[in-house]
Short mmCIF file of all heavy atoms in Angstrom, two decimals:
data_model
loop_
_atom_site.label_atom_id
_atom_site.label_comp_id
_atom_site.label_asym_id
_atom_site.label_seq_id
_atom_site.Cartn_x
_atom_site.Cartn_y
_atom_site.Cartn_z
N ASP O 1 0.85 -1.19 0.00
CA ASP O 1 0.00 0.00 0.00
C ASP O 1 0.88 1.24 0.00
O ASP O 1 1.62 1.48 0.96
CB ASP O 1 -0.91 0.00 1.23
CG ASP O 1 -1.97 1.08 1.18
OD1 ASP O 1 -1.91 1.92 0.26
OD2 ASP O 1 -2.85 1.10 2.05
N PRO O 2 0.82 2.05 -1.07
CA PRO O 2 1.66 3.25 -1.12
C PRO O 2 1.19 4.34 -0.18
O PRO O 2 1.91 5.31 0.07
CB PRO O 2 1.52 3.71 -2.58
CG PRO O 2 0.17 3.21 -2.99
CD PRO O 2 -0.01 1.90 -2.28
N ARG O 3 0.00 4.22 0.37
CA ARG O 3 -0.55 5.26 1.23
C ARG O 3 -0.30 4.92 2.70
O ARG O 3 -0.67 3.85 3.16
CB ARG O 3 -2.05 5.41 0.97
CG ARG O 3 -2.73 6.44 1.84
CD ARG O 3 -4.19 6.54 1.47
NE ARG O 3 -4.91 7.34 2.46
CZ ARG O 3 -6.20 7.57 2.41
NH1 ARG O 3 -6.92 7.06 1.43
NH2 ARG O 3 -6.79 8.28 3.34
N GLU O 4 0.32 5.81 3.42
CA GLU O 4 0.61 5.57 4.83
C GLU O 4 -0.66 5.64 5.67
O GLU O 4 -1.53 6.47 5.45
CB GLU O 4 1.61 6.64 5.34
CG GLU O 4 3.01 6.48 4.80
CD GLU O 4 3.75 5.33 5.45
OE1 GLU O 4 3.45 5.00 6.60
OE2 GLU O 4 4.63 4.75 4.79
N ASN O 5 -0.75 4.75 6.64
CA ASN O 5 -1.79 4.82 7.68
C ASN O 5 -3.20 4.84 7.12
O ASN O 5 -4.06 5.58 7.61
CB ASN O 5 -1.56 6.05 8.57
CG ASN O 5 -0.20 6.02 9.25
OD1 ASN O 5 0.23 4.97 9.73
ND2 ASN O 5 0.48 7.15 9.26
N ARG O 6 -3.46 4.03 6.12
CA ARG O 6 -4.83 3.91 5.60
C ARG O 6 -5.71 3.27 6.68
O ARG O 6 -5.38 2.23 7.23
CB ARG O 6 -4.84 3.04 4.35
CG ARG O 6 -6.21 2.92 3.68
CD ARG O 6 -6.17 1.87 2.58
NE ARG O 6 -5.17 2.13 1.58
CZ ARG O 6 -5.40 2.82 0.46
NH1 ARG O 6 -6.59 3.33 0.23
NH2 ARG O 6 -4.44 2.99 -0.42
N LYS O 7 -6.83 3.91 6.95
CA LYS O 7 -7.73 3.39 7.97
C LYS O 7 -9.17 3.65 7.55
O LYS O 7 -9.51 4.75 7.13
CB LYS O 7 -7.46 4.06 9.33
CG LYS O 7 -8.33 3.54 10.46
CD LYS O 7 -8.08 4.32 11.75
CE LYS O 7 -8.96 3.79 12.88
NZ LYS O 7 -8.83 4.59 14.11
N PHE O 8 -10.01 2.65 7.69
CA PHE O 8 -11.42 2.78 7.34
C PHE O 8 -12.21 3.28 8.55
O PHE O 8 -11.96 2.83 9.68
CB PHE O 8 -11.99 1.44 6.88
CG PHE O 8 -11.63 1.06 5.47
CD1 PHE O 8 -10.31 0.76 5.13
CD2 PHE O 8 -12.60 0.97 4.50
CE1 PHE O 8 -9.98 0.40 3.83
CE2 PHE O 8 -12.28 0.61 3.19
CZ PHE O 8 -10.97 0.33 2.86
N ASN O 9 -13.14 4.17 8.28
CA ASN O 9 -14.05 4.67 9.31
C ASN O 9 -15.29 3.78 9.29
O ASN O 9 -16.08 3.82 8.34
CB ASN O 9 -14.41 6.13 9.00
CG ASN O 9 -15.32 6.75 10.02
OD1 ASN O 9 -16.25 6.12 10.51
ND2 ASN O 9 -15.08 8.02 10.34
N MET O 10 -15.46 2.96 10.32
CA MET O 10 -16.52 1.96 10.32
C MET O 10 -17.91 2.57 10.17
O MET O 10 -18.79 1.99 9.52
CB MET O 10 -16.49 1.13 11.61
CG MET O 10 -15.25 0.29 11.79
SD MET O 10 -14.98 -0.90 10.47
CE MET O 10 -13.55 -0.15 9.67
N ILE O 11 -18.13 3.71 10.79
CA ILE O 11 -19.47 4.31 10.74
C ILE O 11 -19.73 4.90 9.36
O ILE O 11 -20.79 4.68 8.76
CB ILE O 11 -19.64 5.38 11.83
CG1 ILE O 11 -19.26 4.80 13.20
CG2 ILE O 11 -21.08 5.90 11.83
CD1 ILE O 11 -19.98 3.51 13.56
N LYS O 12 -18.76 5.63 8.82
CA LYS O 12 -18.93 6.19 7.49
C LYS O 12 -19.12 5.08 6.46
O LYS O 12 -19.96 5.19 5.56
CB LYS O 12 -17.74 7.05 7.10
CG LYS O 12 -17.89 7.71 5.72
CD LYS O 12 -16.69 8.56 5.37
CE LYS O 12 -16.95 9.32 4.07
NZ LYS O 12 -17.28 8.45 2.93
N GLN O 13 -18.34 4.02 6.57
CA GLN O 13 -18.47 2.91 5.63
C GLN O 13 -19.85 2.26 5.72
O GLN O 13 -20.47 1.94 4.70
CB GLN O 13 -17.38 1.87 5.91
CG GLN O 13 -15.99 2.31 5.52
CD GLN O 13 -15.73 2.17 4.04
OE1 GLN O 13 -15.88 1.11 3.47
NE2 GLN O 13 -15.34 3.26 3.40
N GLY O 14 -20.34 2.08 6.94
CA GLY O 14 -21.68 1.53 7.10
C GLY O 14 -22.74 2.43 6.48
O GLY O 14 -23.65 1.96 5.79
N LEU O 15 -22.61 3.72 6.69
CA LEU O 15 -23.57 4.66 6.13
C LEU O 15 -23.48 4.73 4.61
O LEU O 15 -24.49 4.86 3.91
CB LEU O 15 -23.35 6.06 6.73
CG LEU O 15 -23.64 6.21 8.23
CD1 LEU O 15 -23.19 7.57 8.72
CD2 LEU O 15 -25.12 5.99 8.52
N ASP O 16 -22.27 4.64 4.08
CA ASP O 16 -22.08 4.72 2.63
C ASP O 16 -22.61 3.47 1.91
O ASP O 16 -23.19 3.58 0.83
CB ASP O 16 -20.59 4.88 2.29
CG ASP O 16 -20.10 6.31 2.46
OD1 ASP O 16 -20.94 7.20 2.70
OD2 ASP O 16 -18.88 6.53 2.35
N TYR O 17 -22.38 2.31 2.50
CA TYR O 17 -22.66 1.07 1.76
C TYR O 17 -23.84 0.28 2.30
O TYR O 17 -24.25 -0.71 1.68
CB TYR O 17 -21.39 0.22 1.72
CG TYR O 17 -20.30 0.92 0.95
CD1 TYR O 17 -19.29 1.62 1.61
CD2 TYR O 17 -20.32 0.95 -0.44
CE1 TYR O 17 -18.31 2.30 0.90
CE2 TYR O 17 -19.35 1.63 -1.16
CZ TYR O 17 -18.35 2.31 -0.49
OH TYR O 17 -17.40 2.99 -1.20
N ASP O 18 -24.37 0.69 3.42
CA ASP O 18 -25.59 0.06 3.97
C ASP O 18 -26.43 1.18 4.57
O ASP O 18 -26.78 1.18 5.75
CB ASP O 18 -25.19 -0.98 5.03
CG ASP O 18 -26.39 -1.76 5.58
OD1 ASP O 18 -27.35 -1.98 4.80
OD2 ASP O 18 -26.36 -2.13 6.76
N ASN O 19 -26.79 2.14 3.71
CA ASN O 19 -27.33 3.40 4.22
C ASN O 19 -28.64 3.27 4.96
O ASN O 19 -28.95 4.09 5.82
CB ASN O 19 -27.44 4.43 3.09
CG ASN O 19 -28.22 3.90 1.88
OD1 ASN O 19 -28.95 2.92 1.98
ND2 ASN O 19 -28.04 4.56 0.75
N ASN O 20 -29.42 2.25 4.68
CA ASN O 20 -30.68 2.08 5.43
C ASN O 20 -30.60 0.95 6.46
O ASN O 20 -31.60 0.62 7.09
CB ASN O 20 -31.85 1.84 4.47
CG ASN O 20 -31.69 0.56 3.67
OD1 ASN O 20 -30.74 -0.19 3.88
ND2 ASN O 20 -32.61 0.30 2.76
N GLY O 21 -29.40 0.36 6.60
CA GLY O 21 -29.20 -0.65 7.63
C GLY O 21 -29.74 -2.03 7.30
O GLY O 21 -29.77 -2.91 8.17
N GLU O 22 -30.13 -2.24 6.05
CA GLU O 22 -30.72 -3.53 5.68
C GLU O 22 -29.76 -4.70 5.91
O GLU O 22 -30.16 -5.76 6.41
CB GLU O 22 -31.14 -3.48 4.21
CG GLU O 22 -31.79 -4.76 3.70
CD GLU O 22 -32.10 -4.70 2.21
OE1 GLU O 22 -31.66 -3.73 1.55
OE2 GLU O 22 -32.78 -5.60 1.72
N TYR O 23 -28.51 -4.50 5.56
CA TYR O 23 -27.53 -5.58 5.71
C TYR O 23 -27.29 -5.90 7.19
O TYR O 23 -27.25 -7.07 7.58
CB TYR O 23 -26.22 -5.17 5.03
CG TYR O 23 -25.10 -6.16 5.23
CD1 TYR O 23 -25.10 -7.37 4.57
CD2 TYR O 23 -24.05 -5.86 6.10
CE1 TYR O 23 -24.07 -8.29 4.76
CE2 TYR O 23 -23.02 -6.77 6.30
CZ TYR O 23 -23.03 -7.98 5.62
OH TYR O 23 -22.01 -8.88 5.82
N VAL O 24 -27.11 -4.86 8.00
CA VAL O 24 -26.89 -5.09 9.43
C VAL O 24 -28.07 -5.84 10.05
O VAL O 24 -27.90 -6.81 10.80
CB VAL O 24 -26.63 -3.77 10.16
CG1 VAL O 24 -26.79 -3.94 11.67
CG2 VAL O 24 -25.24 -3.24 9.85
N ARG O 25 -29.28 -5.42 9.73
CA ARG O 25 -30.44 -6.09 10.33
C ARG O 25 -30.57 -7.54 9.84
O ARG O 25 -31.10 -8.38 10.55
CB ARG O 25 -31.71 -5.29 10.02
CG ARG O 25 -31.87 -4.05 10.89
CD ARG O 25 -33.21 -3.38 10.68
NE ARG O 25 -33.27 -2.74 9.37
CZ ARG O 25 -32.84 -1.51 9.11
NH1 ARG O 25 -32.32 -0.78 10.09
NH2 ARG O 25 -32.92 -1.00 7.90
N LEU O 26 -30.07 -7.83 8.63
CA LEU O 26 -30.11 -9.19 8.11
C LEU O 26 -29.27 -10.14 8.96
O LEU O 26 -29.67 -11.27 9.23
CB LEU O 26 -29.62 -9.21 6.66
CG LEU O 26 -29.62 -10.56 5.94
CD1 LEU O 26 -31.06 -11.05 5.72
CD2 LEU O 26 -28.88 -10.45 4.60
N TRP O 27 -28.10 -9.66 9.39
CA TRP O 27 -27.15 -10.54 10.07
C TRP O 27 -27.08 -10.32 11.58
O TRP O 27 -26.48 -11.13 12.29
CB TRP O 27 -25.77 -10.38 9.44
CG TRP O 27 -25.73 -10.96 8.06
CD1 TRP O 27 -25.74 -10.28 6.88
CD2 TRP O 27 -25.73 -12.35 7.72
NE1 TRP O 27 -25.74 -11.15 5.82
CE2 TRP O 27 -25.73 -12.44 6.31
CE3 TRP O 27 -25.73 -13.53 8.46
CZ2 TRP O 27 -25.73 -13.65 5.64
CZ3 TRP O 27 -25.73 -14.75 7.80
CH2 TRP O 27 -25.73 -14.80 6.40
N VAL O 28 -27.62 -9.22 12.07
CA VAL O 28 -27.62 -8.96 13.51
C VAL O 28 -29.08 -8.78 13.93
O VAL O 28 -29.57 -7.66 14.09
CB VAL O 28 -26.78 -7.71 13.86
CG1 VAL O 28 -26.62 -7.57 15.38
CG2 VAL O 28 -25.41 -7.78 13.20
N PRO O 29 -29.80 -9.88 14.09
CA PRO O 29 -31.25 -9.78 14.35
C PRO O 29 -31.60 -9.06 15.64
O PRO O 29 -32.72 -8.56 15.78
CB PRO O 29 -31.70 -11.25 14.39
CG PRO O 29 -30.46 -12.05 14.62
CD PRO O 29 -29.35 -11.27 13.99
N GLU O 30 -30.64 -8.95 16.58
CA GLU O 30 -30.91 -8.20 17.80
C GLU O 30 -31.28 -6.74 17.51
O GLU O 30 -31.93 -6.08 18.32
CB GLU O 30 -29.69 -8.19 18.73
CG GLU O 30 -29.14 -9.56 19.07
CD GLU O 30 -27.97 -9.95 18.19
OE1 GLU O 30 -28.17 -10.07 16.96
OE2 GLU O 30 -26.87 -10.12 18.73
N LEU O 31 -30.83 -6.26 16.34
CA LEU O 31 -31.03 -4.84 16.00
C LEU O 31 -32.17 -4.63 15.01
O LEU O 31 -32.32 -3.53 14.47
CB LEU O 31 -29.73 -4.28 15.41
CG LEU O 31 -28.47 -4.43 16.28
CD1 LEU O 31 -27.25 -3.87 15.56
CD2 LEU O 31 -28.65 -3.74 17.63
N GLN O 32 -32.98 -5.63 14.77
CA GLN O 32 -34.01 -5.53 13.73
C GLN O 32 -35.03 -4.43 13.97
O GLN O 32 -35.62 -3.91 13.02
CB GLN O 32 -34.73 -6.88 13.58
CG GLN O 32 -33.94 -7.90 12.79
CD GLN O 32 -34.70 -9.20 12.59
OE1 GLN O 32 -35.75 -9.43 13.21
NE2 GLN O 32 -34.19 -10.06 11.73
N ARG O 33 -35.25 -4.07 15.21
CA ARG O 33 -36.26 -3.05 15.50
C ARG O 33 -35.72 -1.62 15.45
O ARG O 33 -36.47 -0.67 15.70
CB ARG O 33 -36.89 -3.32 16.88
CG ARG O 33 -37.74 -4.60 16.92
CD ARG O 33 -38.21 -4.87 18.33
NE ARG O 33 -39.04 -6.08 18.40
CZ ARG O 33 -40.36 -6.08 18.34
NH1 ARG O 33 -41.02 -4.94 18.21
NH2 ARG O 33 -41.04 -7.21 18.42
N ILE O 34 -34.43 -1.47 15.17
CA ILE O 34 -33.87 -0.13 15.01
C ILE O 34 -33.92 0.21 13.53
O ILE O 34 -33.34 -0.48 12.69
CB ILE O 34 -32.43 -0.05 15.53
CG1 ILE O 34 -32.41 -0.36 17.03
CG2 ILE O 34 -31.84 1.33 15.26
CD1 ILE O 34 -31.02 -0.32 17.64
N MET O 35 -34.59 1.28 13.20
CA MET O 35 -34.85 1.62 11.80
C MET O 35 -33.75 2.50 11.20
O MET O 35 -33.08 3.27 11.90
CB MET O 35 -36.20 2.34 11.69
CG MET O 35 -37.41 1.48 12.08
SD MET O 35 -37.63 0.04 10.97
CE MET O 35 -36.93 -1.28 11.96
N GLY O 36 -33.60 2.37 9.90
CA GLY O 36 -32.74 3.26 9.13
C GLY O 36 -31.29 3.22 9.56
O GLY O 36 -30.78 2.21 10.08
N ALA O 37 -30.60 4.33 9.35
CA ALA O 37 -29.17 4.42 9.59
C ALA O 37 -28.81 4.38 11.07
O ALA O 37 -27.65 4.13 11.41
CB ALA O 37 -28.62 5.69 8.95
N ASP O 38 -29.79 4.59 11.95
CA ASP O 38 -29.50 4.53 13.38
C ASP O 38 -28.94 3.17 13.81
O ASP O 38 -28.29 3.06 14.85
CB ASP O 38 -30.77 4.81 14.19
CG ASP O 38 -31.13 6.29 14.22
OD1 ASP O 38 -30.25 7.11 13.88
OD2 ASP O 38 -32.27 6.61 14.56
N VAL O 39 -29.20 2.14 13.02
CA VAL O 39 -28.75 0.80 13.38
C VAL O 39 -27.23 0.70 13.45
O VAL O 39 -26.69 -0.19 14.11
CB VAL O 39 -29.31 -0.23 12.37
CG1 VAL O 39 -28.54 -0.20 11.05
CG2 VAL O 39 -29.33 -1.64 12.96
N HIS O 40 -26.53 1.64 12.81
CA HIS O 40 -25.07 1.59 12.81
C HIS O 40 -24.46 2.13 14.11
O HIS O 40 -23.28 1.86 14.39
CB HIS O 40 -24.51 2.38 11.62
CG HIS O 40 -24.79 1.71 10.31
ND1 HIS O 40 -24.20 0.53 9.93
CD2 HIS O 40 -25.62 2.07 9.28
CE1 HIS O 40 -24.64 0.18 8.73
NE2 HIS O 40 -25.51 1.09 8.32
N THR O 41 -25.21 2.86 14.90
CA THR O 41 -24.67 3.45 16.13
C THR O 41 -25.67 3.31 17.28
O THR O 41 -26.13 4.31 17.85
CB THR O 41 -24.34 4.94 15.92
OG1 THR O 41 -25.52 5.61 15.42
CG2 THR O 41 -23.22 5.12 14.92
N PRO O 42 -26.02 2.10 17.68
CA PRO O 42 -27.04 1.93 18.70
C PRO O 42 -26.66 2.54 20.05
O PRO O 42 -27.55 2.92 20.82
CB PRO O 42 -27.22 0.41 18.80
CG PRO O 42 -25.96 -0.16 18.24
CD PRO O 42 -25.53 0.81 17.19
N TRP O 43 -25.36 2.63 20.34
CA TRP O 43 -24.93 3.17 21.63
C TRP O 43 -25.18 4.67 21.75
O TRP O 43 -25.08 5.23 22.84
CB TRP O 43 -23.46 2.85 21.88
CG TRP O 43 -22.51 3.53 20.93
CD1 TRP O 43 -21.89 4.73 21.09
CD2 TRP O 43 -22.06 3.03 19.66
NE1 TRP O 43 -21.10 5.03 20.01
CE2 TRP O 43 -21.18 4.00 19.12
CE3 TRP O 43 -22.32 1.87 18.94
CZ2 TRP O 43 -20.57 3.82 17.87
CZ3 TRP O 43 -21.71 1.70 17.71
CH2 TRP O 43 -20.84 2.66 17.19
#
């Protein structure tokens, strides 16, 4: 990797690629009742 200190932002990545939380709710059923993008930051 030519770029130093590459780091992914977990929250931004979740919002960018699972913007309505469908994927998270598919695999983390505990969070199924949290709607939309809020599912990425339940705390």
Side-chain angles (χ1 to χ4, degrees):
D1 190 353
R3 178 178 169 181
E4 289 285 332
N5 301 317
R6 184 189 302 268
K7 182 184 180 185
F8 282 67
N9 182 320
M10 295 301 109
I11 308 306
K12 182 180 187 302
Q13 288 280 305
L15 294 172
D16 280 353
Y17 296 99
D18 184 32
N19 53 18
N20 63 4
E22 180 184 10
Y23 175 73
V24 164
R25 283 187 289 273
L26 181 68
W27 290 104
V28 189
E30 306 97 297
L31 305 178
Q32 281 183 349
R33 292 175 180 265
I34 298 179
M35 296 296 101
D38 283 344
V39 77
H40 291 292
T41 55
W43 66 92

